[in-house]
Amino acid sequence: MIPITEYDSERKILTALLQGEIDHHCAGEIRRCIDIAIDKYSPELLALDFSGVTFMDSSGIGLVMGRYKLMKETGGETIVLNPRDDIRKLMELASLGRLTKIAYTAHSAAKASSGRKVP
Amino acid sequence: MKREVKNKMKLSFISRSENEGLSRIAVSAFLSSAGADAGVIAQLKTAVSEGVTNAIVHGYRGITGIVTLECTIYENGLIRTVIRDKGTGIEDIEKAMEPLYTTAPEEERAGLGFAIMKSFCDRIRVRSVPGKGTTVTLDKYIAENG
Ligand SMILES: Nc1ncnc2c1ncn2[C@@H]1O[C@H](COP(=O)(O)OP(=O)(O)OP(=O)(O)O)[C@@H](O)[C@H]1O
Ligand SMILES: [Mg+2]
């Protein structure tokens, strides 16, 4: 499903609320959508909020890694927020934690990412 | 001792990416009606998604073909899932199965499909003939503790 993107211009944080299942079939569309927003706002931090993601496979890992690389090109950082347990396990299997922080927030992704606490 | 078949299903579909979701739904529904553990279903669903995606993305790169997905549940609790394509095949299976190895990095593939299938199943076997196709067999037990 197409993510909802929000930009906090004060703190230069772009949040993408990902939803539903992330597989090869929909990864391309999600990628395009996020990349358009990155291009438009040039954020310093990209927050990928996984609260609404119910399934993910290696295509989702590729998606996160790809956005991490893109953000890195302009010195920006990427953070993963609120993945479910099984999705977090998959991320750990892929050692995604080495590239991006994985954090949990109470509600609003944009609000909590300012704290950027890793549990 | 001969293994008795408890239930079996077979699904064939053309190599369109929207069928990746179909294959996951089919496997989940089939396994939950057999009373498999939720954790087992979730892992096998992910492994099937990897295998089917590989058949579509790599096996039938640039062409359309048939992917088949077969799932058998045996009385002893073994679930055997077979994913088959008649596509390009794999030149060097050992290399293909190495974590992070991918022939499609420009498509943002991570090279982790086989690593995920391996870690989410009890056993994986890959048979492949270049120009003929690939068969991936995934074995997993229906209950978490075997
Ligand atoms: N069914 C297949 N037919 C032909 N080649 C395959 C098939 N499955 C896998 N391969 C080859 O094996 C390689 C590794 O597969 P694997 O699933 O581990 O990684 P990937 O598909 O490249 O990336 P990811 O799964 O992380 O998106 C692929 O890049 C491809 O070259
Ligand atoms: Mg793959």
Side-chain angles (χ1 to χ4, degrees):
Chain A
M1 226 189 290
I2 294 188
I4 298 164
T5 53
E6 293 170 354
Y7 185 58
D8 176 343
S9 57
E10 230 162 83
R11 287 180 298 160
K12 297 195 158 53
I13 300 172
L14 175 67
T15 304
L17 294 160
L18 305 167
Q19 287 169 78
E21 307 205 310
I22 304 181
D23 64 0
H24 155 255
H25 176 62
C26 64
E29 195 63 37
I30 298 171
R31 175 175 65 211
R32 269 189 291 282
C33 192
I34 297 173
D35 289 359
I36 286 169
I38 291 176
D39 197 49
K40 184 168 165 192
Y41 300 115
S42 305
E44 283 174 7
L45 178 68
L46 171 67
L48 299 170
D49 192 333
F50 277 76
S51 315
V53 177
T54 54
F55 172 85
M56 184 179 99
D57 62 16
S58 64
S59 298
I61 301 288
L63 180 80
V64 176
M65 284 178 168
R67 306 294 66 65
Y68 164 80
K69 282 184 198 147
L70 185 64
M71 286 298 294
K72 204 83 198 157
E73 280 174 18
T74 54
E77 280 187 61
T78 304
I79 186 170
V80 168
L81 298 175
N82 310 316
R84 281 176 12 175
D85 265 6
D86 52 340
I87 292 174
R88 191 199 174 106
K89 284 208 186 93
L90 194 82
M91 289 173 171
E92 278 164 6
L93 191 77
S95 305
L96 255 192
R98 268 190 237 155
L99 306 181
T100 71
K101 284 177 188 162
I102 301 174
Y104 290 84
T105 63
H107 290 289
S108 159
K111 191 166 66 194
S113 55
S114 64
R116 283 207 248 161
K117 279 230 177 75
V118 182
Chain B
M1 195 180 74
K2 199 172 164 287
R3 270 196 297 247
E4 299 287 334
V5 172
K6 193 173 175 191
N7 200 1
K8 180 168 177 148
M9 71 104 166
K10 187 170 174 177
L11 182 70
S12 344
F13 47 87
I14 65 164
S15 55
R16 286 184 61 91
S17 64
E18 48 264 61
N19 292 329
E20 292 155 9
L22 171 72
S23 69
R24 291 195 297 272
I25 291 170
V27 163
S28 313
F30 182 69
L31 294 177
S32 53
S33 70
D37 287 357
V40 169
I41 297 176
Q43 291 195 329
L44 207 47
K45 189 176 158 184
T46 309
V48 163
S49 194
E50 296 297 346
V52 167
T53 301
N54 278 352
I56 293 172
V57 171
H58 305 294
Y60 295 122
R61 172 165 299 268
I63 51 169
T64 302
I66 304 285
V67 181
T68 61
L69 169 65
E70 232 178 276
C71 195
T72 312
I73 301 172
Y74 293 93
E75 290 292 352
N76 69 355
L78 173 71
I79 307 164
R80 175 161 292 171
T81 309
V82 182
I83 301 156
R84 198 176 279 123
D85 70 69
K86 293 197 154 75
T88 54
I90 303 172
E91 209 72 60
D92 185 342
I93 297 173
E94 217 173 307
K95 188 158 192 191
M97 291 181 77
E98 276 170 22
L100 305 178
Y101 176 82
T102 180
T103 48
E106 71 292 343
E107 290 164 27
E108 296 196 342
R109 307 239 64 90
L112 288 169
F114 277 128
I116 290 169
M117 286 186 261
K118 222 185 218 166
S119 112
F120 283 2
C121 296
D122 296 317
R123 184 160 181 242
I124 170 171
R125 258 169 310 156
V126 181
R127 278 185 29 225
S128 190
V129 180
K132 287 250 154 62
T134 301
T135 302
V136 175
T137 304
L138 304 169
D139 283 353
K140 191 170 177 65
Y141 283 88
I142 201 158
E144 223 112 46
N145 50 13

